[in-house]
Amino acid sequence: MGGEAGHTKLDLDVIKGMGTGLGNVKKAFEGLEKLTQKYGDDFGQTDLAEKFEDFAGNWEIKREELTSEIDTLAKIAKAAAEAYEDIDHQLAEAIRGAQDPKAPRKGK
């Protein structure tokens, strides 16, 4: 976002892309295997195996939290882009109506 003389400029393609990209990250996180299932046996019965299991368990919890937050951000970005597009269309319609006083106005 940038501005000149109080005007705000938004790149709707960037905002839409952010929503799509975050959605893709969420899908990737959801598709990850549990680490203990993939590597747990590789450590054998050692302290390292216990540490890895603790790490994997914590990672699973944090990954689920992060996935939820990413999903929320993706939805916000998509909703913001839609809202800005709607406002842009309404403003364009109002400007066209103001330039052509003979044009039919909504609600009248």
Side-chain angles (χ1 to χ4, degrees):
M1 282 178 21
E4 291 180 17
H7 299 285
T8 302
K9 293 182 181 181
L10 303 167
D11 189 335
L12 294 180
D13 291 333
V14 170
I15 295 171
K16 286 180 192 176
M18 186 183 341
T20 301
L22 288 168
N24 292 338
V25 170
K26 176 188 175 260
K27 288 177 189 173
F29 267 55
E30 289 173 336
L32 292 175
E33 295 179 38
K34 291 188 176 188
L35 291 174
T36 52
Q37 290 174 346
K38 191 166 185 175
Y39 302 107
D41 294 337
D42 294 339
F43 292 104
Q45 299 295 324
T46 65
D47 288 340
L48 182 58
E50 288 178 30
K51 300 283 186 201
F52 181 76
E53 194 169 314
D54 287 344
F55 167 79
N58 288 333
W59 167 243
E60 187 68 25
I61 292 167
K62 294 300 181 185
R63 184 175 60 87
E64 288 173 7
E65 291 173 4
L66 188 57
T67 299
S68 176
E69 291 175 12
I70 289 170
D71 185 47
T72 299
L73 289 173
K75 289 176 181 174
I76 289 170
K78 289 176 184 178
E82 289 172 8
Y84 289 130
E85 276 187 330
D86 186 46
I87 290 168
D88 189 46
H89 290 299
Q90 289 177 25
L91 288 172
E93 188 175 301
I95 290 170
R96 281 192 294 272
Q99 291 173 342
D100 183 6
K102 297 177 186 175
R105 296 183 185 190
K106 282 192 172 181
K108 290 191 176 189

